[in-house]
Amino acid sequence: MQTSLIKLFFFDLVQLQKGRGVLCLVLMLGISLSEGAGLVLLLPLLQIVGLNTGQGQPGALAELVNRGFALVGFTPSLISVLLVGLLITLARALLQRWQAGINFSFQHDFVLRLQKSLYRSMAHADWLSFCRSRSSDLNHALTQEVWRCGAAVQVFLSLVSNLILALVYLVFAMRLSPPMSLIALLAGLILVGLLRRRNRVARVAGEGLSQAGENFHATIAEHLGGMKLAKASGSAERHIARFDERAHEVRDRYRETIYNQAAVSFWFSFSSMLILVVLVYCAVVWLQVPSAELLLLLFLCSRILPRISGLQASYQHLLNLLPAYKNLQKLQAGFTKAAKHESPSSVPLPLLKHLCVEDLSFGYHEAPILTAVNLKLVAGQTTALVGGSGAGKTTLVDLLLGLLKPATGRILVDDQPLQGEALSGWRQSIGYVPQEAFLFHDSIRNNLLWSRPQASEAELWAALELAAARGFVDGLERGLDTLVGERGVRLSGGERQRIALARALLRQPALLILDEATSALDSESESQVQTAIEGLKGQMTILVIAHRFSSVRFVDQIHLLEGGRILESGTPGELLAAGQGRFRTLFDAQLGGG
């Protein structure tokens, strides 16, 4: 499973930009070779200080270096060798600088692609699938998990760089003394094998960190949303205790990761020194390696063993980070599977005659919510859909908005089925005002322009006028440029709702849907919004969703929904005149209870 996940991650990286990946590889190779070239320059330096490098492999390498100097017209001397070493170091530094920029772009482009791809899959997923996901989990995935994937890119590039450099050093070591090099390599591989158990610890810790991060983000979202209730009920300390528990859980997962990496580093450092001690003893006592060759071998081994240690550490760190990538892939796959592939349309769908719902049924997990619903909304009229909680009103609205797909039946706009390109155009023709108006932490102007970015100043004020909001907006010190605060907290409930109504009206919708738009307001605010709604009668097609029957007496047509079925339909006068009718019974009960 680890190998397959690493392969998937690697191919995803390569797919990002093949050319840049090749450039990264070339730069790594160039940096590694420059380090190897710097190593070879030690041979003429050893000769200059009087050590004999004329025997065996060191002698052959020294001869090669001398030929190189002769080729460019230099005689090996202290100054020339040091100058060439300086130039090689400069070249390596320039390559490393170039590589740092390429790696940064590679890493952050990968992060950006993951974020955009995941967000696009969320936005195109069907409404039902999206609602089943916690917003905190999505927030965590788009931020924390994506950035852990970015860190995985950095670690992966470091792993490849260490591998190339280790191979370069190993090649030079093998040229000097194959037996000693093989002993060092074998000892390093045995050490890696002995520490394989730590790989599983790293992976499990990474999975635990992802889960702890999800829980932590969920706790933050829930507690900030419920802070008012916690303060009002004196439960703030319980919130604090729960927050502390989740924060400590994240801390413990990070600590487990760091402790595991520190343990690996400790054993590699100690074992590397032990291997060097054994190699020196073998080289001096048994193999009688010349001093120059011994110095080079020690230098090479001191460079190779840390690289092997780095490879193991990078691999474990990668295993710790990859669960984040796995979670993102799983989340995106779920949303992609649930995607609604709709034909794009730039032409709003008009409503000239009527919107008809024919034998429509819908349910969640085979539990019926709506059963054989039939109703008609006549263009230009105001229609009310009333019923108690759980009657199915919100589900029916979601179906009319095209967010849900009927199990059976169909919805027609001017006798055209609501599907495909028609559905895309229909969404551009709807103005929707929910029970709790959502406003962005921005100005009133930008909140309005969100629904129709090309609207003029005059059209903004006209929409506010229709929504009975012009008066209070005009009285604000900064007018349209007034900041409304997060979710519109700086405005009253009635003001927020009228801004939301103006935003919907700015679209000049073919159908305006008011989903319990006044139910959460106080009497004065409700009266203001109700007046604005009644003033729109006859100017457009309106669907009012309500559970307060007294608030829909001004409409042209009422449909009573109960138990997922339309029980009664008619004008307000007709339904109130039916003494034994269900609407009249519920109407009288509400007035009696109020």
Side-chain angles (χ1 to χ4, degrees):
M1 184 180 69
Q2 295 176 8
T3 305
S4 60
L5 185 58
I6 292 175
K7 284 182 180 178
L8 180 63
F9 181 73
F10 171 73
F11 286 123
D12 207 6
L13 274 179
V14 171
Q15 195 177 19
L16 173 62
Q17 193 170 340
K18 294 180 181 179
R20 191 178 295 177
V22 171
L23 180 57
C24 283
L25 190 61
V26 170
L27 288 173
M28 290 176 189
L29 185 59
I31 292 169
S32 299
L33 290 176
S34 67
E35 286 205 27
L39 167 67
V40 172
L41 283 178
L42 285 174
L43 293 167
L45 278 177
L46 290 174
Q47 286 181 327
I48 290 169
V49 298
L51 285 177
N52 180 19
T53 62
Q55 301 297 322
Q57 295 299 334
L61 289 174
E63 181 62 26
L64 182 63
V65 174
N66 290 332
R67 288 178 184 175
F69 272 93
L71 189 64
V72 296
F74 281 165
T75 300
S77 64
L78 182 61
I79 294 178
S80 63
V81 171
L82 292 177
L83 181 60
V84 172
L86 181 62
L87 291 175
I88 290 176
T89 301
L90 177 61
R92 183 167 67 251
L94 290 174
L95 288 175
Q96 287 173 334
R97 178 181 176 182
W98 190 6
Q99 183 193 38
I102 294 295
N103 286 2
F104 177 86
S105 299
F106 197 91
Q107 175 185 358
H108 286 269
D109 284 354
F110 184 70
V111 167
L112 183 61
R113 196 190 73 164
L114 283 179
Q115 286 177 319
K116 290 168 63 176
S117 180
L118 178 57
Y119 193 83
R120 180 175 292 275
S121 71
M122 291 177 184
H124 286 299
D126 68 72
W127 180 241
L128 196 56
S129 298
F130 184 81
C131 288
R132 288 171 177 166
S133 301
R134 291 190 303 185
S135 60
S136 61
D137 290 348
L138 305 185
N139 188 299
H140 174 251
L142 285 167
T143 53
Q144 189 73 16
E145 295 291 77
V146 166
W147 282 107
R148 287 182 69 202
C149 289
V153 174
Q154 186 178 14
V155 171
F156 183 79
L157 293 175
S158 175
L159 190 150
V160 174
S161 178
N162 273 330
L163 178 60
I164 293 174
L165 193 53
L167 290 175
V168 169
Y169 281 132
L170 186 60
V171 168
F172 281 107
M174 292 294 290
R175 290 296 303 272
L176 287 171
S177 177
M180 295 286 292
S181 302
L182 288 174
I183 291 173
L185 179 61
L186 182 61
L189 293 177
I190 291 174
L191 188 56
V192 168
L194 291 175
L195 293 173
R196 278 192 63 188
R197 186 180 63 85
R198 292 286 177 175
N199 295 340
R200 182 178 178 278
V201 174
R203 178 178 58 81
V204 172
E207 293 172 350
L209 184 57
S210 289
Q211 186 60 54
E214 276 189 13
N215 295 337
F216 187 53
H217 274 71
T219 299
I220 291 174
E222 291 170 357
H223 287 190
L224 292 180
M227 190 60 75
K228 184 176 182 179
L229 177 62
K231 285 181 172 291
S233 60
S235 303
E237 287 301 322
R238 289 207 299 273
H239 265 198
I240 293 170
R242 186 63 171 167
F243 179 87
D244 288 350
E245 180 184 341
R246 294 302 192 190
H248 279 84
E249 185 179 356
V250 174
R251 189 275 312 272
D252 291 344
R253 298 291 79 76
Y254 270 117
R255 182 170 59 185
E256 185 178 353
T257 298
I258 297 301
Y259 280 8
N260 185 55
Q261 292 174 354
V264 171
S265 178
F266 166 77
W267 284 112
F268 255 110
S269 297
F270 175 76
S271 301
S272 297
M273 181 54 66
L274 182 61
I275 291 171
L276 283 176
V277 168
V278 173
L279 285 176
V280 170
Y281 182 83
C282 292
V284 173
V285 177
W286 292 346
L287 301 177
Q288 298 179 352
V289 177
S291 57
E293 185 174 328
L294 178 60
L295 284 174
L296 285 174
L297 280 172
L298 286 176
F299 180 79
L300 285 169
C301 289
S302 68
R303 302 292 288 175
I304 292 173
L305 290 173
R307 297 299 170 185
I308 296 176
S309 172
L311 286 172
Q312 174 67 10
S314 295
Y315 182 66
Q316 286 196 356
H317 197 185
L318 187 63
L319 291 179
N320 183 261
L321 294 169
L322 283 183
Y325 177 74
K326 180 181 178 182
N327 286 349
L328 290 182
Q329 293 298 309
K330 181 179 178 181
L331 186 62
Q332 184 170 336
F335 280 126
T336 301
K337 185 178 180 181
K340 296 192 70 174
H341 301 287
E342 299 167 1
S343 303
S345 173
S346 58
V347 182
L349 186 67
L351 177 58
L352 303 176
K353 298 184 296 182
H354 49 244
L355 183 149
C356 295
V357 176
E358 296 183 350
D359 296 322
L360 187 145
S361 298
F362 181 83
Y364 298 105
H365 301 296
E366 301 182 355
I369 304 296
L370 299 172
T371 305
V373 172
N374 290 276
L375 59 83
K376 178 185 288 189
L377 276 64
V378 179
Q381 290 189 359
T382 299
T383 304
L385 182 66
V386 299
S389 299
K393 302 189 300 297
T394 298
T395 301
L396 182 54
V397 168
D398 288 345
L399 287 161
L400 293 177
L401 290 170
L403 298 177
L404 300 177
K405 184 179 180 180
T408 59
R410 59 180 184 165
I411 301 172
L412 301 99
V413 177
D414 292 340
D415 301 320
Q416 181 178 359
L418 200 57
Q419 59 188 18
E421 187 174 343
L423 178 58
S424 180
W426 177 240
R427 286 178 175 165
Q428 297 182 50
S429 303
I430 293 178
Y432 176 64
V433 182
Q435 179 177 352
E436 295 185 9
F438 178 85
L439 299 181
F440 296 97
H441 183 43
D442 208 332
S443 65
I444 293 175
R445 180 192 307 276
N446 288 337
N447 270 283
L448 294 174
L449 290 174
W450 179 83
S451 68
R452 189 163 159 245
Q454 70 276 18
S456 66
E457 184 96 357
E459 288 173 321
L460 295 181
W461 286 110
L464 290 169
E465 182 76 37
L466 284 174
R470 178 165 188 156
F472 88 81
V473 173
D474 202 26
L476 296 172
E477 184 177 352
R478 299 188 62 189
L480 285 171
D481 295 314
T482 301
L483 292 176
V484 302
E486 187 175 6
R487 304 184 71 89
V489 69
R490 297 181 182 177
L491 303 178
S492 69
E495 290 170 342
R496 286 197 299 271
Q497 206 68 359
R498 281 180 281 165
I499 293 297
L501 178 58
R503 181 171 60 190
L505 293 172
L506 190 62
R507 304 191 73 181
Q508 300 174 353
L511 173 65
L512 176 64
I513 299 179
L514 305 170
D515 190 358
E516 303 276 13
T518 64
S519 63
L521 303 178
D522 58 76
S523 298
E524 183 179 356
S525 298
E526 180 184 12
S527 176
Q528 292 170 339
V529 177
Q530 190 70 31
T531 300
I533 294 172
E534 291 181 20
L536 298 172
K537 184 181 178 182
Q539 300 185 47
M540 63 188 67
T541 308
I542 303 174
L543 174 62
V544 179
I545 312 298
H547 67 271
R548 294 178 186 169
F549 297 164
S550 59
S551 65
V552 296
R553 284 182 288 188
F554 73 98
V555 304
D556 299 300
Q557 188 81 4
I558 295 177
H559 298 283
L560 173 62
L561 186 66
E562 191 170 281
R565 297 176 180 272
I566 299 293
L567 291 188
E568 295 178 358
S569 297
T571 66
E574 291 171 346
L575 294 179
L576 289 173
Q580 301 301 316
R582 182 61 175 164
F583 179 85
R584 179 56 190 262
T585 301
L586 294 172
F587 182 87
D588 291 341
Q590 282 192 3
L591 289 183

